[in-house]
Amino acid sequence: MKKIKMRVAALLSMAVFLFTSMSFSKGEGKIVGLDENVSSYVIGNEETGDIYCEKNSDQPRAIASLTKLMTFYLVRDAIEEGKIKLDTSVKADKRTEELTSWEYSALGLKEGESYSVEELLQGLIAVSGNDCAYLLAKTVAGSEEAFAKKMNEKAKELGLKSQKYYNASGIDTKDDKENQSSAKDLFNLARELIKKYPDILKYSSMDEVNIPGKGIKKSSTIPLKDEIKGVDGLKTGTTEKAGYCLISSVDMKELDGNDEFRCLGVVLGADQKDTRDSAMKDLIYYVSRFYSCEKVLDKNRSVESIEEASAKQGYVEVYPAEDLTIISKDNINVATKINLNKNIKAPIKKGEILGSVDVNYGGKDYKVDLVAKDDIEEASFLGKITRSVKNNVNFLLDLLIAR
């Protein structure tokens, strides 16, 4: 019954969104009807980085626990480099338990108890445990201060110019400083993270973290997974300065069945949790409603058939060398232009380049070679003569009919 109610609520939300979505501002990429109690947002394609909708996306803001995406990145780097393992055992210290008692989220680690890196990663992402962030940072770099330095180095390496880190969790520092980033840089960080370490989706899609031997059982803090089909992550963040923040990852094919692409959305500075979730829903449904996969070129479908007397069959068919799929917006056309080589003559080998096709969409240009799908044999001398005579006769008949 609970799941049915959630589905109904999601459908009602989508209906309201589609009703109000008549007024999208053109050219700015902003949704006019989106709640104004959100400081910035962005949503785009996870694979290509194309942005579909944004507001104040380059403006740096406090990011609270969205910080933990960078923490996860560096921990996974350390595992990849062989410095630690998922089964590495880590003992919680006094500071860990202090973080557990704070007002912010924690897994509930106890001083003196040992936990595996795998358990800490689960708590870091699914439960947003500040205690897990601190203990992982200390394990990788020796101290949280040294880890924060690594975080800033990684941000610089990835070209995330707006990002600044003071700790591994995102809580306020003693001198009231807080980690910061723009929505756009968080979008790009999440893209790189999922590309390099897709197992983060395993952690973000968990419903709870359960460690029976240590008395830990906590529900995930990540919203929308049960409300919108296809949502499988990614991270929440909340402090007084940052407001309510959310990064969501979505498999759009799961949502509407046709669109084979993934999206990432970022919402920063919402005034309350419901506003944050509502804004993210609107962004996801906006993409679902107005964007779709268009297979512009199919390597198994001919784009041109050329009459050619030198070919045994009398014609040459050309095919794209590769598929080309574009995520296109309603009412924006994809332009194509075919360019064939001069003097195409048989025999022709399979895969031989016979020209190219230029594709333009949304200011982006794509170029794909055109090739022969199979070997094309040369016509016999008699065949060429017969075809030439036939073509000339047809030409003369056309002239007479035209007169």
Side-chain angles (χ1 to χ4, degrees):
M1 182 63 71
K2 183 180 178 183
K3 285 192 174 181
I4 292 173
K5 287 181 179 178
M6 285 180 173
R7 294 294 182 200
V8 170
L11 288 170
L12 287 172
S13 175
M14 186 174 186
V16 171
F17 166 75
L18 291 175
F19 178 75
T20 58
S21 67
M22 299 293 183
S23 55
F24 291 104
S25 62
K26 295 181 179 179
E28 297 179 7
K30 295 194 294 185
I31 302 177
V32 174
L34 195 62
D35 200 307
E36 290 303 317
N37 296 320
V38 173
S39 298
S40 60
Y41 58 75
V42 63
I43 191 165
N45 189 293
E46 180 188 299
E47 183 181 357
T48 65
D50 290 339
I51 300 299
Y52 301 140
C53 184
E54 60 186 329
K55 170 190 171 184
N56 299 332
S57 63
D58 291 315
Q59 185 181 89
R61 291 189 51 80
I63 59 171
S65 284
L66 300 186
T67 293
K68 295 183 175 86
L69 293 184
M70 181 63 87
T71 301
F72 183 92
Y73 202 125
L74 291 183
V75 174
R76 287 294 284 108
D77 274 352
I79 293 170
E80 196 74 6
E81 293 162 8
K83 295 176 181 177
I84 59 173
K85 297 179 180 179
L86 286 173
D87 61 359
T88 297
S89 182
V90 183
K91 184 177 285 189
D93 58 14
K94 184 178 180 181
R95 172 63 175 159
T96 313
E97 192 156 335
E98 286 176 358
L99 284 166
T100 295
S101 65
W102 280 24
E103 59 180 305
Y104 301 120
S105 53
L107 185 58
L109 307 181
K110 294 181 175 61
E111 182 183 359
E113 285 272 15
S114 293
Y115 305 88
S116 69
V117 168
E118 167 71 11
E119 291 167 341
L120 296 177
L121 285 175
Q122 290 177 12
L124 178 78
I125 299 300
V127 178
S128 195
N130 294 316
D131 46 358
C132 297
Y134 161 76
L135 201 54
L136 285 167
K138 184 182 174 187
T139 302
V140 170
S143 70
E144 192 166 17
E145 292 75 20
F147 190 81
K149 185 178 178 182
K150 285 180 173 289
M151 295 172 84
N152 287 312
E153 289 170 354
K154 176 60 75 172
K156 186 176 180 181
E157 177 189 321
L158 295 173
L160 310 175
K161 295 180 180 179
S162 69
Q163 296 200 342
K164 187 173 288 186
Y165 294 99
Y166 300 99
N167 55 44
S169 61
I171 59 176
D172 298 340
T173 63
K174 290 179 180 178
D175 52 358
D176 202 32
K177 291 179 180 177
E178 192 166 326
N179 300 339
Q180 68 175 37
S181 174
S182 67
K184 184 79 67 68
D185 277 349
L186 283 168
F187 170 81
N188 287 322
L189 172 62
R191 283 186 62 225
E192 289 297 323
L193 181 54
I194 293 173
K195 181 180 177 181
K196 189 171 183 181
Y197 300 120
D199 58 314
I200 189 171
L201 297 176
K202 175 187 77 173
Y203 298 104
S204 66
S205 60
M206 294 175 68
D207 292 326
E208 66 176 18
V209 176
N210 189 1
I211 312 175
K214 299 186 174 70
I216 292 176
K217 187 176 182 179
K218 288 210 169 184
S219 298
S220 169
T221 61
I222 300 172
L224 306 184
K225 292 183 297 178
D226 291 329
E227 295 183 54
I228 302 178
K229 205 170 182 181
V231 173
D232 49 19
L234 191 62
K235 193 70 197 71
T236 57
T238 308
T239 61
E240 186 176 343
K241 188 183 292 184
Y244 290 84
C245 307
L246 175 63
I247 299 180
S248 291
S249 53
V250 195
D251 184 339
M252 300 304 292
K253 186 175 182 180
E254 288 290 319
L255 181 57
D256 86 3
N258 297 312
D259 294 330
E260 296 190 22
F261 65 99
R262 290 181 57 86
C263 274
L264 280 168
V266 182
V267 170
L268 299 182
D271 61 341
Q272 54 185 326
K273 189 183 293 185
D274 287 346
T275 307
R276 173 201 71 186
D277 294 353
S278 177
M280 186 62 76
K281 288 177 188 177
D282 285 352
L283 290 171
I284 293 169
Y285 287 133
Y286 167 73
V287 174
S288 177
R289 165 64 181 83
F290 290 99
Y291 286 84
S292 58
C293 272
E294 182 175 347
K295 196 164 190 178
V296 181
L297 299 174
D298 185 336
K299 62 184 180 182
N300 293 313
R301 293 184 66 180
S302 168
V303 298
E304 189 81 13
S305 183
I306 314 158
E307 278 193 39
E308 178 49 52
S310 67
K312 186 176 180 180
Q313 67 268 42
Y315 61 90
V316 175
E317 289 193 331
V318 293
Y319 292 79
E322 58 187 321
D323 295 334
L324 177 62
T325 300
I326 289 175
I327 312 303
S328 60
K329 190 176 181 182
D330 287 1
N331 72 37
I332 299 181
N333 294 324
V334 178
T336 59
K337 181 185 176 184
I338 294 173
N339 311 295
L340 296 174
N341 295 348
K342 293 180 180 178
N343 301 319
I344 294 175
K345 298 288 183 184
I348 298 169
K349 293 289 187 183
K350 177 181 178 179
E352 185 175 330
I353 296 174
L354 305 175
S356 64
V357 56
D358 296 326
V359 180
N360 178 274
Y361 174 76
K364 280 192 172 184
D365 293 315
Y366 308 84
K367 194 180 192 74
V368 176
D369 287 336
L370 294 175
V371 299
K373 189 179 179 184
D374 300 295
D375 289 341
I376 299 172
E377 296 179 23
E378 185 177 5
S380 65
F381 178 75
L382 181 59
K384 290 179 185 177
I385 294 296
T386 302
R387 191 168 292 128
S388 179
V389 169
K390 182 180 177 182
N391 288 341
N392 287 330
V393 169
N394 287 337
F395 176 71
L396 290 172
L397 286 173
D398 288 341
L399 282 178
L400 290 170
I401 291 168
R403 288 183 180 182

